[in-house]
Amino acid sequence: MHRPAFLFCVLLFLFAVSVQAIPIHVLSWGTLGSADGEFNFPRRLAVGPDGSVYVADRNNHRIQKFDNEGNFLITWGGLGSEPGQFNYPFGVDVDAGGFVYVSERLNNRIQKFTAAGSFVMMWGSFGFGPGLFYYPVGVAVDSNGNVFVADSFNHRIQKFTNTGVFIATWGTQGDGTGQFSFPVTLGVDAFGNVYVGDSGNRRVQKFNNTGGYILQWGGQGDADDQFQSPRGITVDGAGDVYVVDQAPSTIKKFSSTGTFILEFGGAGSAEGLFDRAEDVAIDGDGNIFITDPGNNRIQKFSDLAVPVKVRNWGSIKARYHTRKKN
């Protein structure tokens, strides 16, 4: 091979392995209202094993379930404190068996339902001891069925069995390693590691399944690895971590060790933009779902996009933003 051709191939290879694809907008659904398929400030969402999307429709005090293309399926709830009712449902997650877990900010409890919305059980009430909550806003379930709750105003994470039996807790108020300032969200990877959106400290902290500290990244700012207001967190099948930064309404993607990969989104009402983006979830095919509360809609993205941006290497640094779909 001639030297110029060889060098060209090397450069092409280096470019290919360093390119990252901006997720492209696929569809949106929802508008302000209380009818089926409408929302009043949707907060968190989760994707079930079959690809169904569950949305905590906060101000309508209900859960809505959709298929993977945004078609309405069922809803349940209503304002109240009885089993199956909600008072500001906030977090939602689905386990491998399809059971749905919902955290309620003002009822200070976790409720468990079938995939069809039938009430199974609940646990928790207001308080400061083990198994009690003060504004539980985030919930996540690992592959073994352990349930993790971001007990926000108690500045801690609590761990339970899937029947609500208390297992452990960790965290106190502060900005030190393993401490929290209003933790608001959780993500769990395939190894059971727990990522916590430590909102007041503008960072993400990573722990093992028993609460052992591993690492952290973030801090307040506009740099690639910083946050203004970290909210929803999820982990994809490759172990990469997606974090919603609510103030700029962007979604940042990191490696499992906190290395910045890409960023997309921004503030607005057009497709691919958000008004106070809140949460992110990913299905088994890599489709990305994001709650857009200020626009009262859900947006779906595909990560099977045309590569349009290059990661950092050497002394050259590029910051990446959304590229509109043609």
Side-chain angles (χ1 to χ4, degrees):
M1 181 181 292
H2 296 297
R3 184 175 180 83
F6 172 77
L7 290 175
F8 175 78
C9 290
V10 170
L11 290 172
L12 185 62
F13 170 78
L14 291 173
F15 175 79
V17 299
S18 63
V19 164
Q20 290 292 323
I22 292 287
I24 58 172
H25 180 269
V26 176
L27 61 88
S28 301
W29 72 89
T31 187
L32 177 62
S34 58
D36 292 346
E38 296 179 336
F39 302 108
N40 191 344
F41 218 74
R43 279 295 196 177
R44 304 289 170 82
L45 80 171
V47 180
D50 64 350
S52 297
V53 180
Y54 299 81
V55 181
D57 187 8
R58 191 193 71 174
N59 292 357
N60 283 324
H61 306 283
R62 64 185 180 181
I63 300 298
Q64 294 199 67
K65 180 180 179 180
F66 303 86
D67 69 17
N68 204 262
E69 298 301 314
N71 297 302
F72 173 81
L73 297 176
I74 59 171
T75 184
W76 71 89
L79 178 60
S81 58
E82 296 299 314
Q85 295 181 319
F86 302 110
N87 195 347
Y88 289 104
F90 215 98
V92 59
D93 202 8
V94 187
D95 68 17
F99 289 100
V100 183
Y101 302 80
V102 182
S103 63
E104 293 181 76
R105 182 175 176 178
L106 295 188
N107 281 332
N108 289 291
R109 66 187 180 185
I110 306 298
Q111 293 198 67
K112 179 179 179 178
F113 301 88
T114 68
S118 298
F119 174 80
V120 176
M121 64 172 299
M122 62 186 182
W123 70 89
S125 60
F126 174 77
F128 311 103
L132 302 177
F133 303 112
Y134 187 6
Y135 284 3
V137 294
V139 61
V141 188
D142 69 15
S143 59
N144 293 319
N146 297 304
V147 181
F148 299 87
V149 180
D151 188 7
S152 185
F153 278 41
N154 279 326
H155 308 283
R156 66 185 179 184
I157 306 303
Q158 295 200 63
K159 178 181 179 180
F160 302 88
T161 68
N162 60 8
T163 57
V165 177
F166 174 81
I167 298 175
T169 184
W170 71 89
T172 57
Q173 186 172 15
D175 59 5
T177 297
Q179 293 184 311
F180 303 109
S181 177
F182 303 104
V184 294
T185 188
L186 300 154
V188 183
D189 67 18
F191 302 101
N193 296 311
V194 181
Y195 297 82
V196 180
D198 187 6
S199 177
N201 289 319
R202 274 82 170 180
R203 66 184 178 184
V204 172
Q205 294 196 69
K206 179 180 179 179
F207 302 86
N208 65 25
N209 201 260
T210 58
Y213 172 83
I214 297 175
L215 58 85
Q216 63 179 285
W217 71 89
Q220 186 170 12
D222 296 319
D224 292 344
D225 61 351
Q226 293 180 317
F227 305 103
Q228 292 292 341
S229 183
R231 285 295 191 268
I233 294 179
T234 196
V235 186
D236 68 16
D240 292 325
V241 183
Y242 293 73
V243 183
V244 176
D245 197 3
Q246 188 178 68
S249 281
T250 61
I251 290 80
K252 293 185 173 184
K253 180 180 178 180
F254 301 88
S255 73
S256 61
T257 57
T259 300
F260 175 81
I261 298 174
L262 61 82
E263 179 182 22
F264 66 98
S269 59
E271 291 183 347
L273 301 178
F274 309 96
D275 184 355
R276 289 164 288 176
E278 174 71 29
D279 198 17
V280 56
I282 301 177
D283 68 15
D285 295 323
N287 296 303
I288 303 166
F289 300 85
I290 299 166
T291 51
D292 188 4
N295 290 317
N296 288 292
R297 66 186 179 186
I298 307 302
Q299 296 199 57
K300 178 181 179 180
F301 296 79
S302 172
D303 66 352
L304 302 177
V306 177
V308 295
K309 68 183 187 178
V310 183
R311 290 180 62 185
N312 305 340
W313 76 87
S315 60
I316 305 299
K317 180 178 181 181
R319 183 171 177 83
Y320 314 125
H321 296 280
T322 303
R323 177 181 176 180
K324 293 182 179 180
K325 181 177 64 175
N326 293 327

